[in-house]
Amino acid sequence: MKRHKKTGPNYNRYGWAFIAMAFLLYLLFTIYPAVESLALAFQSMEGGKYTFVGLKNFKRMFGDAVFLQSLKNTFLYMVIQVPIMLMLALILAVLLNSRFLKWKGFFRTSIFLPCVTSLVAYSILFKMMFSLDGIINQVLMRLGILEQPFQFLQNSTWARAVIIIAMLWRWTGYNVIFYLSALQNIPKETFEAAKVDGANAAQTLFRVTIPQLKPIVLLTAIMSTNGTLQLFDETMNITQGGPANSTLTVSHYIYNQSFVYAPNFGYASAISYMVVFLMIILAIIQFSVAGKEG
Amino acid sequence: MSKEKKIRLFKNILLHLFLLAAVLISVFPFYWMLSGATNSSVDITGGNMWFGKNLKENWTQLQNTANVFLVCWNTIKTTLLYTFLSILICAMAGYGFEKYRSKGKNVVYAMFLLSMMIPFSAQMIPLFKMASKANMLDSHTAIILPTIAMPFLVFFFRQSFQSYPTELIEAARVDGAGEFRIFFHLVMLPMKSTFAAAAIYAFMKQWNNYLWPLIVIQSNEKKTFTLLLSSLASAYYVDYGQLMLAIVLATLPIIIVFLTMQKQFVEGIVGSSK
Amino acid sequence: MKRKLTATITAAALALTMLTGCGNSGNAPQETNEPAAQQETTQDTASEETEAPAAPAQDGEAKTITVWAWDDNFNVAVMKEAARVYGETHPEANVNVDVVSLSKEDVYVKLQTALAGGGNGLPDIVLLEDYVSGKYLNTFPGSFADLTDKFDYSQYLSFKVDAVSQDGKTYALPFDTGATALYYRLDLIEQAGYTEEDMQDLTWDEFIEIGKDVTEKTGVQMIVEIANNKTTLVRAMMQSCGLWYFDKDGNINIKNNEALKASFDIILKMKEAGILYEAESTEGRAGALNNGTVASVVNAPWFISSIRQAEDQKGLWRAARIPRISTLDSSINASNVGGSSWYVLENSPVKDEAIAFLQGVWEGNTDFYDTIMRNQGAMGSYIPAYDTGVYEEEDEFFGGQKLNGLFAEVLPDVIPVNYGGYVAEANDAITTALANLFEGKVSIDEALEQAEAQLANQLGR
């Protein structure tokens, strides 16, 4: 039978062929473990054996002061650190994209550099920098801002601030990469048009640049939110969650429940799924906010 | 000089000063890391900022603690393999999702995105059981395999392929090119910058991967850098000179890769917008 | 341009094939561990007294015993030394001992994952702190080999044996002890008008008085503790009274724990007197001691290696028994912090070989105990080893004091307590309580009540 040229081969099937490899690996190594751990969330281990306990693990969360504290901390990081970081990244990207800038390569590379450091390594560095005889205290004392060294990591507010500063250092440049590449894809004519219309720099940023960057801003916002909810290495290595659990994050608490305390994988799984649930809600909010503005 | 030019000049200086400050903040810890690698532990905890004379001693200590070359080789091997496989597989998937849209695929795609949100610690025990049943514990395959299909990369590639004109694909089909041939010969090449960005992402992720290698690697001979760092950092008495040197060694290769790739990355972007 | 990229990809693909190709063959020779070779790199001082061992006759396949431990300068080095000694004294055993160095946290992460994941991927021997012993024995019953009949436990310190025993069975070979001492800078004490004599058998109140003078006259703070984890002092004080976070039956004992109350009170007094230096972390603590911003510290024998790093302070240091709590009659000038033991995994394919290895070195070989005491400051739990010369040795860093002798003197006095296994949880609760107390948010009683509630919730009680 003669084939109609226009129908052609079954492209849908080709599509699946492209996806097949990733899909297979994904089913095997993400979905299956995720489902198994979801089942764990309804179990509790006693004497080396798991028993079904229904919703007990979920109920326990609401009475668990440490968990609630960790949730509060995590949201605090999210509300403060993510916007500052994204704004800073955007400003840096715009500046780095400036046609008046000399030694572009040097500036770009230097600003991107922090994001290559391993989390363990940079956490150790930051802990040492903010210690009592660390460089930060030395500089502040030399400048006359402080009379005697300040214990940053022992004051709950400042300990959080140090975590946030550390994260800003590590992740801002990373987001700059995304913004810069997106900026370079905005046609130059758009900016020129704005200039002709007499817009100043700030107006151009908010009326032209940011709207153009909306998809990438959304992407980085979701990524950062996601990252914050999974924040672990920094608090683990810089403050160990202290003082008085004031820097403890949910992921850190999950880790503690699984590996530091008597292993309670059931409860840890339940908390993990609570995090998943929260992330989905946040993503929906972010998408709808972005949708409305457009 | 006209007034306008003066303002421009002033703004330029401000721009450069601001960025210079940002650069200083960015680069300072790297400087410290380097100077620390040449200092003794006591000097580092005492806050010495300058270069010292302890580099050789630190190197000897580090060599005594671990086979640094082997650790380095293990890390490079797993990272390169992972980077290559993950960008290949994720790029194909992203392309599949974008250019062969269908309802079924969108559902699968949504699943991919959702699973980005499951904390890894929640999947660890079942994953470990699988690796153990498959007799893959203590192998580099076990480090690489589970995270090859990275939802984020799939997402990233799908977004990027949006900008690739579908008409070109259709034109190639009319010319009689097969679907895979189109992808590998036609689509991949102009997307160079996308691949470079994805490669940097994958490379960094694997180079700094910690929790999962920790779980599956059993012997000293298979260890990667992050595992070495964490064991160095947690001794009762931490030799910071040795640790700093290890940090430098663990960070240098990734900086080099980043610098070389970044050039290509930026070039690719500039090239595509010309 | 396009051709260039194709070439790059091809090259990359080729390189990868090569990588995978030689991954198998290239690694193969390295997988067999030569214990002798491995030792030579790590032991420079240890091998002085003995000739390098002749390679044991390797007829047939040598079995590998995998050991997990967590400190390259301490227990890892000790176990490597044990492996070397075993190869020398028992060449017929034909085993390789592979000591895998991890961080302590990582040992627990890996162990818990592997035990929960069905038991593959476990080592043959693992080092565990005595503080977590009960937790592992309770949570994973049957996972650790019963060693009750394998060693003569009457030869080991009883509080160490108690710590690794449950229901009349003993599950580990006791390793190091945390015999606690007060390490102090004699030069600073003297500047404040006190002598070495004045530092003996103190109460904490007397200690605080001395500390005030030291801080006033020298500007140096008297004692250091880690800010986010002030529990070293708390634990030392608590056990000096024979009390613990848990009572003999394993019930939580915080709210009404007199020793805890007293130790909170003492630590708060130290802070208010301005003599307590709160280091941010372990490195901050070591740094403060090394650069002379702090005059003393309370800790276990292994801590000396941190103090020794400051070579310019040689001869300035002394050690004494720790102070006792004056308000409690039960409190003595001796305590214990930390300490760990070696466990053999029940399902290990080389279980018998692993036990034989532990027996062969750790029971009877006092020379070995001498070596690890001298080189790593590892004070074992094997009583016959305390009679040897190493405990008579004078330590120049401590002005010729018989430092090891002090530990040997303190140890028999240590009052055994039931650690209960859930010390990590309790430490977290106590740390939080202390932080709240320090910020002035709560009273001591309230802090302890909170801690008890947090711990009870954590343990699901």
Side-chain angles (χ1 to χ4, degrees):
Chain A
M1 201 174 88
K2 252 193 180 176
R3 282 173 87 194
H4 299 285
K5 263 191 183 172
K6 278 202 175 169
T7 20
N10 188 342
Y11 290 128
N12 191 32
R13 214 172 275 170
Y14 273 109
W16 285 110
F18 273 105
I19 294 162
M21 223 15 199
F23 191 42
L24 198 74
L25 287 169
Y26 167 79
L27 279 181
L28 207 57
F29 296 118
T30 305
I31 294 299
Y32 168 73
V35 169
E36 203 179 315
S37 88
L38 184 60
L40 264 185
F42 298 96
Q43 299 173 41
S44 189
M45 187 163 69
E46 267 147 37
K49 284 206 176 104
Y50 286 104
T51 42
F52 182 79
V53 293
L55 289 172
K56 191 180 144 207
N57 287 327
F58 290 92
K59 281 180 192 148
R60 183 178 160 187
M61 266 181 252
F62 296 99
D64 183 345
V66 182
F67 167 72
L68 294 175
Q69 168 90 49
S70 74
L71 199 63
K72 193 183 118 193
N73 296 338
T74 310
F75 273 100
L76 206 72
Y77 291 134
M78 209 150 63
V79 171
I80 297 174
Q81 191 261 347
V82 175
I84 295 180
M85 175 179 72
L86 295 185
M87 204 58 221
L88 204 60
L90 196 59
I91 292 170
L92 283 171
V94 170
L95 294 182
L96 284 174
N97 199 36
S98 161
R99 62 199 164 96
F100 300 108
L101 186 67
K102 293 212 167 74
W103 315 297
K104 276 194 176 134
F106 163 75
F107 281 117
R108 280 178 188 166
T109 310
S110 309
I111 284 168
F112 296 167
L113 216 48
C115 72
V116 305
T117 49
S118 91
L119 296 172
V120 178
Y122 104 93
S123 300
I124 292 169
L125 287 174
F126 267 81
K127 187 165 71 172
M128 291 174 77
M129 275 166 42
F130 281 92
S131 71
L132 211 49
D133 47 12
I135 180 77
I136 303 292
N137 265 314
Q138 285 179 18
V139 169
L140 289 178
M141 273 157 67
R142 229 166 270 173
L143 292 177
I145 297 172
L146 284 179
E147 277 185 16
Q148 49 185 353
F150 182 72
Q151 296 182 318
F152 288 100
L153 299 177
Q154 276 170 69
N155 173 300
S156 41
T157 313
W158 274 102
R160 286 181 187 136
V162 170
I163 299 277
I164 289 175
I165 291 169
M167 286 197 296
L168 286 177
W169 181 82
R170 171 67 167 71
W171 295 105
T172 303
Y174 181 74
N175 289 297
V176 172
I177 299 182
F178 286 93
Y179 291 155
L180 197 58
S181 71
L183 274 178
Q184 287 175 335
N185 285 334
I186 300 180
K188 289 208 174 65
E189 297 77 43
T190 324
F191 290 110
E192 274 151 23
K195 214 177 170 187
V196 170
D197 293 345
N200 64 27
Q203 284 169 332
T204 318
L205 179 67
F206 284 104
R207 299 215 185 127
V208 182
T209 316
I210 294 182
Q212 289 268 4
L213 291 184
K214 211 176 78 182
I216 204 89
V217 171
L218 183 64
L219 167 70
T220 52
I222 291 173
M223 267 165 46
S224 310
T225 312
N226 196 342
T228 311
L229 276 172
Q230 301 207 19
L231 181 66
F232 163 68
D233 300 69
E234 286 88 346
T235 60
M236 170 83 178
N237 287 304
I238 299 178
T239 59
Q240 285 157 309
N245 295 328
S246 60
T247 56
L248 187 79
T249 61
V250 176
S251 280
H252 194 162
Y253 191 58
I254 293 173
Y255 175 89
N256 283 350
Q257 283 295 344
S258 311
F259 301 115
V260 180
Y261 303 153
N264 201 336
F265 297 114
Y267 188 42
S269 286
I271 300 177
S272 302
Y273 275 93
M274 185 57 112
V275 173
V276 173
F277 178 69
L278 290 173
M279 277 202 250
I280 293 172
I281 292 192
L282 285 169
I284 291 171
I285 293 173
Q286 281 164 328
F287 267 111
S288 64
V289 167
K292 259 179 211 160
E293 276 177 5
Chain B
M1 238 192 293
S2 72
K3 196 185 165 197
E4 211 166 276
K5 265 192 175 170
K6 269 184 193 160
I7 293 174
R8 185 69 258 163
L9 185 71
F10 179 69
K11 274 185 177 170
N12 269 355
I13 293 172
L14 219 63
L15 167 75
H16 284 84
L17 281 182
F18 182 82
L19 284 178
L20 209 61
V23 167
L24 276 182
I25 294 171
S26 288
V27 174
F28 175 74
F30 289 95
Y31 162 77
W32 195 22
M33 200 191 278
L34 281 176
S35 80
T38 68
N39 273 315
S40 71
S41 199
V42 175
D43 288 334
I44 296 168
T45 46
N48 185 357
M49 302 304 304
W50 307 113
F51 287 90
K53 291 174 185 158
N54 223 43
L55 179 61
K56 220 181 144 194
E57 170 68 21
N58 290 341
W59 171 249
T60 320
Q61 286 296 329
L62 188 59
Q63 271 294 309
N64 285 347
T65 312
N67 185 345
V68 184
F69 294 110
L70 184 62
V71 169
C72 201
W73 166 244
N74 289 340
T75 319
I76 291 173
K77 183 179 132 188
T78 48
T79 308
L80 286 184
L81 265 172
Y82 175 79
T83 307
F84 179 75
L85 290 174
S86 69
I87 61 174
L88 182 73
I89 287 171
C90 295
M92 283 173 67
Y95 182 76
F97 282 126
E98 177 58 28
K99 296 298 178 195
Y100 304 89
R101 286 165 183 252
S102 74
K103 244 191 185 154
K105 285 189 213 82
N106 281 343
V107 171
V108 172
Y109 182 67
M111 271 164 64
F112 261 88
L113 291 192
L114 265 182
S115 66
M116 264 163 85
M117 298 172 181
I118 304 170
F120 184 69
S121 50
Q123 306 165 27
M124 228 160 69
I125 308 278
L127 267 181
F128 178 85
K129 279 190 196 164
M130 288 171 74
S132 143
K133 271 184 203 142
N135 221 355
M136 286 202 317
L137 290 180
D138 203 23
S139 73
H140 289 147
T141 320
I143 296 186
I144 296 169
L145 211 52
T147 43
I148 285 180
M150 235 190 307
F152 175 73
L153 273 193
V154 174
F155 171 75
F156 177 75
F157 275 113
R158 180 177 186 173
Q159 292 292 101
S160 307
F161 284 128
Q162 263 176 16
S163 69
Y164 190 86
T166 311
E167 300 81 51
L168 288 181
I169 299 173
E170 275 160 7
R173 279 180 191 149
V174 172
D175 290 347
E179 296 299 309
F180 288 97
R181 201 186 144 79
I182 293 175
F183 177 70
F184 286 108
H185 289 258
L186 197 70
V187 182
M188 265 173 94
L189 291 182
M191 304 294 288
K192 207 167 70 169
S193 66
T194 305
F195 279 86
I200 291 177
Y201 180 83
F203 189 97
M204 286 191 334
K205 196 169 158 97
Q206 187 58 40
W207 188 272
N208 293 329
N209 197 357
Y210 172 62
L211 207 48
W212 178 239
L214 168 70
I215 303 296
V216 286
I217 291 305
Q218 313 283 340
S219 62
N220 283 326
E221 286 68 38
K222 298 280 169 66
K223 268 191 176 180
T224 58
F225 251 122
T226 44
L227 301 187
L228 176 64
L229 284 186
S230 107
S231 77
L232 284 179
S234 65
Y236 282 141
Y237 169 68
V238 181
D239 183 340
Y240 283 94
Q242 183 186 337
L243 177 62
M244 287 289 203
L245 181 61
I247 292 177
V248 169
L249 292 176
T251 314
L252 270 185
I254 194 165
I255 291 183
I256 293 168
V257 168
F258 184 75
L259 292 186
T260 42
M261 292 293 273
Q262 191 218 345
K263 211 177 148 205
Q264 204 188 14
F265 175 69
V266 173
E267 250 176 28
I269 295 163
V270 174
S272 69
S273 59
K274 258 178 198 169
Chain C
M1 199 61 190
K2 280 182 181 175
R3 204 180 292 159
K4 199 175 147 199
L5 187 76
T6 325
T8 323
I9 292 175
T10 322
L14 267 175
L16 276 163
T17 343
M18 279 162 64
L19 277 180
T20 36
C22 53
N24 303 328
S25 56
N27 271 357
Q30 283 146 347
E31 273 162 20
T32 52
N33 309 302
E34 294 282 341
Q38 211 177 46
Q39 292 323 306
E40 270 163 12
T41 52
T42 46
Q43 299 300 321
D44 17 55
T45 42
S47 47
E48 276 169 21
E49 37 199 302
T50 45
E51 300 242 64
Q58 300 266 321
D59 300 333
E61 196 83 348
K63 286 180 176 167
T64 297
I65 299 172
T66 305
V67 182
W68 287 355
W70 60 71
D71 189 332
D72 287 308
N73 302 321
F74 189 62
N75 46 46
V76 171
V78 164
M79 208 40 161
K80 283 180 175 174
E81 170 66 9
R84 190 190 66 83
V85 170
Y86 193 59
E88 220 173 80
T89 56
H90 297 74
E92 74 288 349
N94 195 17
V95 292
N96 295 313
V97 179
D98 187 14
V99 189
V100 181
S101 169
L102 299 153
S103 80
K104 186 164 71 187
E105 291 75 25
D106 293 354
V107 168
Y108 296 149
V109 170
K110 285 174 74 80
L111 194 66
Q112 289 187 190
T113 313
L115 287 170
N120 274 335
L122 286 163
D124 306 305
I125 296 174
V126 65
L127 185 68
L128 294 178
E129 289 173 294
D130 297 341
Y131 288 159
V132 302
S133 168
K135 173 166 87 181
Y136 281 97
L137 295 176
N138 284 331
T139 317
F140 303 105
S143 297
F144 300 97
D146 175 7
L147 304 178
T148 316
D149 307 324
K150 308 290 181 185
F151 296 91
D152 178 5
Y153 281 108
S154 66
Q155 301 287 304
Y156 297 83
L157 292 170
S158 65
F159 84 89
K160 287 285 297 183
V161 177
D162 283 357
V164 297
S165 300
Q166 204 171 52
D167 303 330
K169 288 178 179 169
T170 307
Y171 290 93
L173 174 75
F175 168 45
D176 69 320
T177 71
T180 315
L182 167 69
Y183 307 103
Y184 64 94
R185 284 271 299 277
L186 184 61
D187 57 326
L188 296 171
I189 300 291
E190 282 174 345
Q191 279 177 43
Y194 294 92
T195 63
E196 197 171 344
E197 202 55 37
D198 294 329
M199 296 302 285
Q200 309 305 317
D201 297 320
L202 293 172
T203 65
W204 282 106
D205 288 338
E206 290 162 354
F207 177 85
I208 291 173
E209 288 311 312
I210 297 175
K212 282 180 189 164
D213 287 339
V214 169
T215 305
E216 193 180 306
K217 299 215 171 98
T218 64
V220 167
Q221 280 173 312
M222 183 62 178
I223 186 166
V224 61
E225 178 62 297
I226 296 176
N228 284 339
N229 186 2
K230 295 181 193 74
T231 59
T232 309
L233 276 177
V234 171
R235 280 180 277 129
M237 290 181 195
M238 204 164 37
Q239 199 174 351
S240 82
C241 311
L243 288 174
W244 195 246
Y245 298 133
F246 304 93
D247 65 15
K248 290 255 176 304
D249 306 319
N251 300 314
I252 300 172
N253 179 25
I254 289 181
K255 206 164 57 183
N256 300 315
N257 188 327
E258 289 305 318
L260 259 179
K261 225 176 260 183
S263 65
F264 270 39
D265 187 46
I266 292 166
I267 294 173
L268 193 61
K269 271 187 196 155
M270 288 177 177
K271 183 189 158 73
E272 283 165 356
I275 65 167
L276 179 68
Y277 179 98
E278 296 174 70
E280 273 87 0
S281 52
T282 44
E283 57 267 34
R285 179 175 62 185
L289 290 165
N290 291 158
N291 63 26
T293 38
V294 152
S296 77
V297 61
V298 165
N299 220 314
W302 47 257
F303 192 76
I304 300 169
S305 60
S306 293
I307 295 175
R308 271 192 222 282
Q309 294 304 313
E311 279 158 27
D312 54 325
Q313 294 173 0
K314 191 174 180 181
L316 303 180
W317 284 91
R318 294 293 183 279
R321 281 169 166 263
I322 63 158
R324 64 178 185 279
I325 301 173
S326 56
T327 51
L328 290 173
D329 292 337
S330 54
S331 180
I332 58 170
N333 293 94
S335 191
N336 179 77
V337 285
S340 50
S341 303
W342 302 105
Y343 293 73
V344 175
L345 275 296
E346 175 67 18
N347 295 323
S348 156
V350 291
K351 181 177 134 190
D352 295 336
E353 286 84 351
I355 294 172
F357 161 60
L358 290 179
Q359 287 167 334
V361 183
W362 294 83
E363 187 152 275
N365 192 337
T366 53
D367 287 348
F368 165 71
Y369 280 97
D370 272 14
T371 313
I372 62 173
M373 182 76 208
R374 199 170 288 128
N375 294 336
Q376 278 85 32
M379 182 160 190
S381 313
Y382 187 56
I383 296 165
Y386 297 155
D387 290 334
T388 62
V390 71
Y391 289 93
E392 289 299 316
E393 280 171 15
E394 295 175 351
D395 193 311
E396 280 187 35
F397 202 90
F398 285 77
Q401 189 181 3
K402 288 177 185 168
L403 193 58
N404 298 341
L406 173 70
F407 300 133
E409 193 190 299
V410 166
L411 268 178
D413 295 345
V414 173
I415 311 170
V417 295
N418 175 17
Y419 287 138
Y422 302 97
V423 179
E425 293 84 342
N427 276 343
D428 274 8
I430 291 295
T431 303
T432 306
L434 267 171
N436 286 333
L437 181 67
F438 270 36
E439 289 198 11
K441 289 180 189 159
V442 290
S443 69
I444 291 180
D445 286 329
E446 286 164 350
L448 288 173
E449 227 160 273
Q450 280 177 6
E452 173 139 345
Q454 181 181 329
L455 183 58
N457 177 51
Q458 213 59 265
L459 300 181
R461 288 181 190 172

